[in-house]
Amino acid sequence: MKVFSVLLLALLVLAASEAQPTADFVDNRPTMLTGIEFSLNFGLIYPPAPQLSEETSTLYMRAVWKDEILGESSQPVFDGDSLVLSGSLSGLKLPNSGNQDVTVLLSYNEDFSAATENVYTVWVIVGGITVIPPLVTVFMAMLTREVLWALFAGIWCCAMIVYQGNVLTAFLRTLDTYLIESLGNIDHAFVIMFSWFLSGMIAVVSKSGGAHGIADVLIRVIRRKRGAMMTVFFLGFVIFFDDYANTLILGGTMRPITDSYFVSREKFAFLVDATTAPIASIAPISSWIGFELGLIQAELDVLAAAGEPVPTSAYDVFLKTIPSRYYPIFMLVFSFMMILSMREFGPMLHAERRAQFEHKLMSDSASVEQTVIDHSLEPDEDVPRRWWNAAVPILATFIVVLVGLILTGVDGAKANGEPQTAANIFGNGDSYSSILWGSFVGSIVIWLMCRFQYIEDGHFVNQWAYWIKFKSHPTARPILTMKESLESWIGGVKSLTTPVLVLIMAWAIGTAVRDSGADNFFSSALSSDSLDYRAIPTLTFIISGVISFATGTSWGTMSIMFPIVVSASWFASDGDDNILVLTISAILAGAVFGDHATAISDTTILSAMSSKCDLTHHVITQMPYALAVAVLSILIGYLPAGFAWEAWIGLVIGIFLVIAMVLLLGVRVDHPKFKEDFLSITTEFIKVKIFRRDPTPKQEVPDFVLEREYKDIFTRNFWTKETFADFFLCRHDENVKDFENFDVENSNSSSNDANDLKESIDGAGIPDSTMENAIPDSTMENAIPEEAVPLTADLPEQVHAE
């Protein structure tokens, strides 16, 4: 009898043991960092357990490493009438690197009797290793000047960290995991598709003469280089609703105009890039607003659930962050002042002087694949250049995108039970689908316009007058047949082959960098107990910028930083509303800064792509500007706003300092002695004296620049009523077309094709009759009507003679 009792007890214990759930580890990071907290996620597999009670059953969880308890938690077994099928343990930390076995105990008993043991092997590395892949990517980009090789090397380097140094496995996973998953992501597919559709639409618009027509209208109004750049700047505010649409439409439409005024491709790409994310991120109504509000609201809900007296409206908090969005606002002011003062510094100064005085829109070292213009998409000679063939499809795209955002936003707001306000509607709108619909409708519109507009000998023919009589014009033809439109559209899509490959690799390296643990390494700097809470906004901005720079995604950076920093800043500051708002602002602004400065950001890539600018050159020339504005954002913005003054005070002072920085650091492009800026002088000194490289050849100053009277804000002759007014009203601009003996046929560009620049000017929309009067055989003096540019008094005598 005693033996039977023992056996029965053993069977009961065994049955109880078998009733405990087991863990199926899923969705865990492949790499953890020593000394930095991480979480373990797992699915729960329940064996039959009739003894469980829905009211009282609780599952206890514990993580153990080498007999040391890393963390423990508990959760209900049932959620209503359903079993809870997942669990997690957070706040775990391992001191050693290498493969570490962590045992997760699961039990219905608080003392963990009869618990199941589930072993998970964690790959742990030292955090400093995670900075290697971003550094390798930057180094390879500088060494090879090929971003595709650099990105591939960076992904491979990350994969070697993730796959424990196995070179072959890392190489294979780079190809079949990171690149394939990057291509298969549905959001990435949306970006590729609407980029194709928009590029195809722009190609048909160009082939129909529409781009040249709208350029013709604008160029007659603009007439000056500064006016062309101002137009690009302000059009960025018009297409404020989405950064992708802004980049692709603005770049494709304005490039012929800026080319005709010899704005360097690097400067044009910067202007396009500077008016994308900086505007979309602070606009109260845009495709960004929903994502930003969602992140803010999620953190407010977490704090509210903890009983903290935080604001309840994410939109109100968003509006409060605008005065402290220092980087986007300062960058917009900086861009405006650089245009107004016609100043540059760093590599951009040399790029602008090259374009203005050597007539080279691009450097000789620029990648031909990235910068070449497909002249097969130029309109035939007998096709009239008419603005409506560009305005109508672009307007149709704009309307469909706007309507799509509203309709999807209304549905989303209803589904979430939110009031039908403008912020909620645009915040819940599906921007990706809306742009896809709009770009496709725009393509259809321009196809139909080309098919039903007939021309003969360079003039439009009213074909409808023949059709109503069931006849056709004997010699007239459509601008483009449907087949020709499709061929042009496909040609536009083909031009995106390289940029799409770069996008895919940029997305892949973002995922790979996160898998390697770099984001955790950077964000962990904010968790120091010795940190003064007033410094949190400043450090948040810096770390957000670094993560965004390393991963190439502003939205991904926001997703990483919000749950890590926002609640921490609230508790560290004992519920200081000002610190909370500044921290949220720093995340949003820092993410934009890193996205703006890096070579692997999709907006940076698309800006270079749409501007036909070499990506490496775009990043090199834009980097000093982004860093200068970021430093000012820290020193005048977040640092004193956390310690000394209100956010709006830093904004006002910062705007004045941005203006001062432009005037003091920047140098006029047309300086009579080709004066160098401080950054260029310092860079050249380091290059020659420290690295023992050959000095950079000096740019030669044209004779007429030396002979022309130089007027600048720091010269006495500037401070006259007429000169002062002319300068700030953009009158009497120095115009790149006022060159002595300028010969279009013999000008060149980076591709060494003398006809490229001529075709760019011809493609700017100026009719042949205008060009005959505007550009004589040997001079560009009359390229702009005399009443528009009365500069002849300042030109050399021989130009007057000509």
Side-chain angles (χ1 to χ4, degrees):
M1 188 68 179
K2 185 175 180 180
V3 175
F4 177 78
S5 299
V6 172
L7 291 174
L8 180 61
L9 181 61
L11 288 173
L12 289 174
V13 171
L14 180 62
S17 175
E18 290 178 349
Q20 315 297 319
T22 57
D24 178 22
F25 295 95
V26 293
D27 297 330
N28 290 298
R29 283 176 171 266
T31 307
M32 311 300 180
L33 307 182
T34 56
I36 295 179
E37 293 184 352
F38 64 93
S39 300
L40 279 182
N41 305 308
F42 43 86
L44 295 172
I45 303 174
Y46 294 90
Q51 75 276 19
L52 294 178
S53 169
E54 295 185 9
E55 292 80 14
T56 61
S57 295
T58 300
L59 178 65
Y60 296 93
M61 304 170 289
R62 174 182 291 173
V64 179
W65 172 75
K66 294 183 178 180
D67 298 327
E68 177 185 342
I69 298 176
L70 300 179
E72 55 186 11
S73 180
S74 63
Q75 66 183 35
V77 175
F78 289 94
D79 181 11
D81 295 330
S82 304
L83 282 170
V84 176
L85 299 177
S86 63
S88 66
L89 285 164
S90 58
L92 311 181
K93 189 185 298 185
L94 289 169
N96 297 344
S97 60
N99 284 313
Q100 306 295 330
D101 290 335
V102 175
T103 302
V104 174
L105 305 178
L106 301 176
S107 177
Y108 299 128
N109 304 313
E110 191 172 0
D111 60 358
F112 288 91
S113 58
T116 59
E117 296 184 0
N118 308 270
V119 179
Y120 181 76
T121 302
V122 182
W123 169 238
V124 187
I125 63 171
V126 178
I129 297 176
T130 62
V131 304
I132 296 176
L135 292 177
V136 168
T137 304
V138 173
F139 175 76
M140 287 292 293
M142 296 174 61
L143 181 66
T144 65
R145 294 190 176 272
E146 289 290 344
V147 70
L148 285 173
W149 285 115
L151 290 173
F152 186 86
I155 300 168
W156 191 5
C157 190
C158 287
M160 281 191 282
I161 293 176
V162 172
Y163 293 98
Q164 306 180 21
N166 190 315
V167 177
L168 179 59
T169 301
F171 178 79
L172 297 177
R173 297 297 86 81
T174 297
L175 297 174
D176 61 26
T177 299
Y178 287 112
L179 292 180
I180 295 300
E181 289 181 357
S182 173
L183 182 62
N185 182 286
I186 188 169
D187 288 339
H188 298 170
F190 266 107
V191 172
I192 292 173
M193 289 298 291
F194 68 60
S195 297
W196 278 345
F197 286 177
L198 281 172
S199 184
M201 181 192 75
I202 295 297
V204 181
V205 165
S206 178
K207 189 68 175 178
S208 70
H212 304 75
I214 200 169
D216 185 24
V217 172
L218 290 174
I219 208 169
R220 293 178 186 279
V221 175
I222 296 170
R223 297 183 177 177
R224 293 171 177 82
K225 177 177 181 177
R226 182 159 42 165
M229 292 190 290
M230 281 291 187
T231 302
V232 175
F233 178 78
F234 285 112
L235 281 178
F237 286 86
V238 174
I239 315 175
F240 67 91
F241 54 87
D242 185 79
D243 52 339
Y244 290 139
N246 182 315
T247 300
L248 294 171
I249 294 175
L250 190 60
T253 304
M254 289 299 297
R255 187 180 63 248
I257 299 171
T258 56
D259 281 0
S260 69
Y261 284 99
F262 294 100
V263 177
S264 66
R265 291 282 175 80
E266 293 92 333
K267 180 69 173 181
F268 179 48
F270 165 72
L271 292 176
V272 172
D273 206 354
T275 54
T276 53
I279 293 177
S281 66
I282 61 176
I285 298 176
S286 74
S287 60
W288 283 51
I289 188 72
F291 183 77
E292 292 172 319
L293 291 182
L295 293 174
I296 295 172
Q297 190 64 60
E299 295 309 307
L300 295 180
D301 291 343
V302 169
L303 291 172
E308 298 295 323
V310 293
T312 57
S313 172
Y315 195 69
D316 288 343
V317 174
F318 174 86
L319 294 177
K320 290 179 181 178
T321 66
I322 292 179
S324 56
R325 300 282 196 93
Y326 298 114
Y327 180 82
I329 296 174
F330 288 171
M331 178 54 71
L332 294 173
V333 175
F334 177 87
S335 303
F336 176 80
M337 282 305 302
M338 295 294 275
I339 298 172
L340 183 63
S341 65
M342 295 298 287
R343 280 174 151 76
E344 308 290 349
F345 63 82
M348 190 72 79
L349 176 63
H350 299 155
E352 276 292 272
R353 282 177 174 167
R354 182 201 68 232
Q356 182 161 329
F357 298 110
E358 299 178 28
H359 319 146
K360 293 182 178 181
L361 298 176
M362 299 157 287
S363 169
D364 291 333
S365 61
S367 169
V368 176
E369 292 80 5
Q370 296 182 41
T371 59
V372 67
I373 296 176
D374 188 356
H375 296 298
S376 66
L377 299 178
E378 293 295 313
D380 297 336
E381 292 184 1
D382 63 339
V383 173
R385 276 64 166 161
R386 296 296 181 263
W387 61 268
W388 57 75
N389 285 329
V392 172
I394 291 175
L395 182 62
T397 300
F398 183 90
I399 292 173
V400 172
V401 171
L402 193 61
V403 171
L405 282 172
I406 293 173
L407 294 179
T408 57
V410 168
D411 290 341
K414 287 181 179 179
N416 296 331
E418 299 173 351
Q420 304 292 311
T421 63
N424 289 337
I425 289 173
F426 278 90
N428 288 284
D430 187 345
S431 61
Y432 281 5
S433 295
S434 299
I435 300 175
L436 184 69
W437 301 334
S439 57
F440 185 77
V441 169
S443 297
I444 296 297
V445 167
I446 187 58
W447 286 0
L448 295 177
M449 291 180 68
C450 291
R451 179 61 182 83
F452 292 106
Q453 292 182 87
Y454 278 68
I455 58 174
E456 181 187 27
D457 298 330
H459 300 283
F460 284 104
V461 174
N462 184 9
Q463 180 67 13
W464 293 95
Y466 290 85
W467 283 343
I468 60 176
K469 300 177 183 179
F470 300 99
K471 297 180 179 179
S472 61
H473 194 283
T475 57
R477 66 174 181 86
I479 295 178
L480 294 172
T481 65
M482 295 299 286
K483 180 180 179 181
E484 290 171 335
S485 292
L486 181 59
E487 290 175 349
S488 299
W489 191 89
I490 293 174
V493 171
K494 287 180 179 178
S495 68
L496 289 188
T497 301
T498 299
V500 165
L501 286 174
V502 174
L503 269 177
I504 292 171
M505 287 197 175
W507 289 322
I509 197 174
T511 302
V513 165
R514 287 190 291 274
D515 283 352
S516 70
D519 53 340
N520 278 343
F521 175 71
F522 293 125
S523 60
S524 66
L526 290 175
S527 60
S528 173
D529 295 334
S530 61
L531 178 66
D532 189 323
Y533 73 87
R534 293 171 295 181
I536 289 178
T538 301
L539 290 177
T540 299
F541 177 83
I542 294 172
I543 294 174
S544 296
V546 171
I547 293 176
S548 183
F549 182 89
T551 61
T553 167
S554 54
W555 284 23
T557 299
M558 296 175 195
S559 301
I560 294 167
M561 292 295 291
F562 261 89
I564 295 173
V565 178
V566 174
S567 296
S569 69
W570 175 266
F571 290 115
S573 63
D574 292 329
D576 190 324
D577 284 339
N578 181 54
I579 295 297
L580 176 70
V581 171
L582 283 173
T583 301
I584 293 174
S585 173
I587 295 173
L588 301 175
V592 171
F593 158 59
D595 180 269
H596 197 200
T598 186
I600 61 175
S601 161
D602 46 8
T603 50
T604 301
I605 295 167
L606 290 175
S607 296
M609 174 197 73
S610 64
S611 305
K612 292 296 183 182
C613 175
D614 183 287
L615 177 59
T616 304
H617 294 181
H618 171 46
V619 173
I620 290 174
T621 53
Q622 181 170 267
M623 180 76 74
Y625 291 174
L627 289 175
V629 174
V631 169
L632 197 63
S633 300
I634 294 171
L635 298 181
I636 306 301
Y638 295 107
L639 196 58
F643 285 88
W645 57 46
E646 296 292 329
W648 66 268
I649 298 176
L651 180 64
V652 174
I653 295 175
I655 289 175
F656 282 103
L657 289 180
V658 168
I659 296 172
M661 179 175 66
V662 170
L663 296 177
L664 295 175
L665 290 184
V667 174
R668 282 278 292 271
V669 176
D670 62 340
H671 192 280
K673 296 182 180 180
F674 271 19
K675 178 182 175 181
E676 293 286 344
D677 64 286
F678 176 76
L679 177 61
S680 298
I681 294 173
T682 304
T683 304
E684 187 70 10
F685 177 84
I686 295 173
K687 173 185 174 181
V688 175
K689 299 297 183 180
I690 298 180
F691 291 102
R692 303 296 181 182
R693 300 287 183 86
D694 293 333
T696 304
K698 298 293 183 181
Q699 292 175 302
E700 295 183 5
V701 185
D703 292 338
F704 80 90
V705 175
L706 294 171
E707 297 174 12
R708 181 176 299 174
E709 182 183 7
Y710 177 69
K711 298 178 181 179
D712 185 37
I713 192 171
F714 294 114
T715 59
R716 182 178 300 177
N717 59 1
F718 177 84
W719 296 99
T720 63
K721 181 178 180 180
E722 181 180 358
T723 304
F724 185 83
D726 289 343
F727 181 81
F728 285 103
L729 293 177
C730 298
R731 300 190 305 220
H732 300 278
D733 277 357
E734 300 291 343
N735 195 298
V736 298
K737 291 185 178 179
D738 297 312
F739 289 131
E740 175 190 0
N741 298 326
F742 176 68
D743 187 351
V744 178
E745 295 293 342
N746 292 322
S747 64
N748 64 26
S749 63
S750 65
S751 62
N752 295 320
D753 183 356
N755 293 322
D756 279 356
L757 191 54
K758 181 179 186 300
E759 293 182 23
S760 176
I761 295 175
D762 292 340
I766 306 177
D768 293 339
S769 59
T770 303
M771 292 299 292
E772 289 173 1
N773 297 324
I775 308 179
D777 292 338
S778 61
T779 182
M780 290 286 287
E781 179 183 353
N782 296 320
I784 303 298
E786 291 183 357
E787 66 272 18
V789 189
L791 288 173
T792 53
D794 294 329
L795 295 177
E797 293 182 1
Q798 59 266 38
V799 178
H800 289 287
E802 293 176 359

